Amino acid sequence: MTAPDAGRGIWNGEETRTFTGLPRDSFRILHVSTGNVCRSPITERLTRHALADRLGDPLWGGLIVESAGTWGHEGAPMEANAETVLADFGADASGFVGRELLDEHVIMADLVLTATRDHRAQVISMGHSAGLRTFTLKEFTRLVKAIDTATLPPLEDGMVARARALVRAAAALRGWLLAPTAEADEVYDPYGAPLPFFRSIGDEINQALDPVVTALTGVPART
């Protein structure tokens, strides 16, 4: 989907973004790492794979999943080891093109999930009221696990409404539920590492995504 001009966006009374050409009932998840060739492509495609697996809907109920890099390798393919990791999970790696993180990506995102705290700080420093919707992946997972999903809008109200409520609930918990260690919220960079380390990072990302996708969809992973 081609991104519309970010300058044409408006804020409405519900604090959600609408753009010409962007459906009102959409929710954009943006995964951010450094080069956008290892961690964020793996996370993007594993998220898409998990949503499709649980919902069986190519549009995933209005959820749009993308990625970018703070020092993104614009136009680059993902690393070959990252493609292998995705193949291990049965996820589709085809057609991926690296992107450098731009203001418009942050403006349009309803949820930004970063690989590290430094990435989170860089996104927040860009402005655009990003603080309340930007988390590290593992931080968001920790917060989501503490949320009673019965308090979220029912799936009958639509996945977009549920996703927005989940982000608000996580943001409200952030100051109360701290990480046991600073490193607990980090996904380390496998760039240049051998395949076994890439696979360990893939497992780490997949485990972090599982409770998030379950909370979003109300559907647990297949056993």
Side-chain angles (χ1 to χ4, degrees), residues 50-56 149 155 159 162 209-223:
L51 289 169
D53 183 61
R54 300 188 199 196
L55 300 177
T149 55
L155 291 170
M159 198 165 301
R162 185 179 176 93
L209 284 172
D210 179 69
V212 173
V213 176
T214 297
L216 283 171
T217 64
V219 180
R222 297 181 186 182
T223 56

Side-chain angles (χ1 to χ4, degrees), residues 5-220:
D5 181 0
R8 299 167 70 178
I10 60 173
W11 292 91
N12 64 26
E14 297 178 2
E15 296 187 344
T16 56
R17 285 152 301 288
T18 57
F19 293 81
T20 302
L22 178 65
R24 172 64 184 79
D25 57 345
S26 65
F27 183 93
R28 300 184 89 100
I29 301 171
L30 177 67
H31 294 295
V32 175
S33 62
T34 303
N36 194 215
V37 292
C38 297
R39 288 168 292 181
S40 51
I42 291 172
T43 315
E44 172 197 313
R45 294 306 176 94
L46 286 181
T47 303
R48 293 185 184 184
H49 179 69
L51 289 169
D53 183 61
R54 300 188 199 196
L55 300 177
D57 180 350
L59 297 179
W60 308 307
L63 302 183
I64 300 168
V65 186
E66 302 170 310
S67 64
T70 55
W71 291 89
H73 298 184
E74 187 73 29
M78 74 174 76
E79 285 288 293
N81 281 347
E83 291 189 354
T84 299
V85 167
L86 291 173
D88 290 344
F89 287 99
D92 183 12
S94 65
F96 180 85
V97 177
R99 303 192 304 175
E100 181 155 0
L101 181 67
L102 302 177
D103 288 274
E104 67 187 62
H105 302 146
V106 177
I107 291 169
M108 294 169 64
D110 295 284
L111 172 62
V112 183
L113 297 176
T114 70
T116 70
R117 292 167 296 148
D118 283 345
H119 296 133
R120 181 184 65 193
Q122 289 180 64
V123 171
I124 292 173
S125 73
M126 294 172 72
H128 314 303
S129 303
L132 290 178
R133 51 194 167 90
T134 303
F135 310 79
T136 75
L137 171 62
K138 287 187 172 180
E139 174 192 20
F140 193 67
T141 300
R142 184 178 70 253
L143 298 171
V144 164
K145 285 180 175 180
I147 295 168
D148 181 359
T149 55
T151 65
L152 300 176
L155 291 170
E156 291 78 8
D157 289 354
M159 198 165 301
V160 170
R162 185 179 176 93
R164 290 180 179 141
L166 186 67
V167 172
R168 290 194 297 268
L173 281 176
R174 178 148 47 189
W176 299 93
L177 191 62
L178 303 178
T181 66
E183 292 73 23
D185 283 343
E186 305 281 290
V187 175
Y188 291 108
D189 192 355
Y191 185 78
L195 182 57
F197 187 67
F198 264 84
R199 283 184 162 137
S200 70
I201 293 298
D203 287 339
E204 195 174 323
I205 290 170
N206 190 61
Q207 290 174 23
L209 284 172
D210 179 69
V212 173
V213 176
T214 297
L216 283 171
T217 64
V219 180

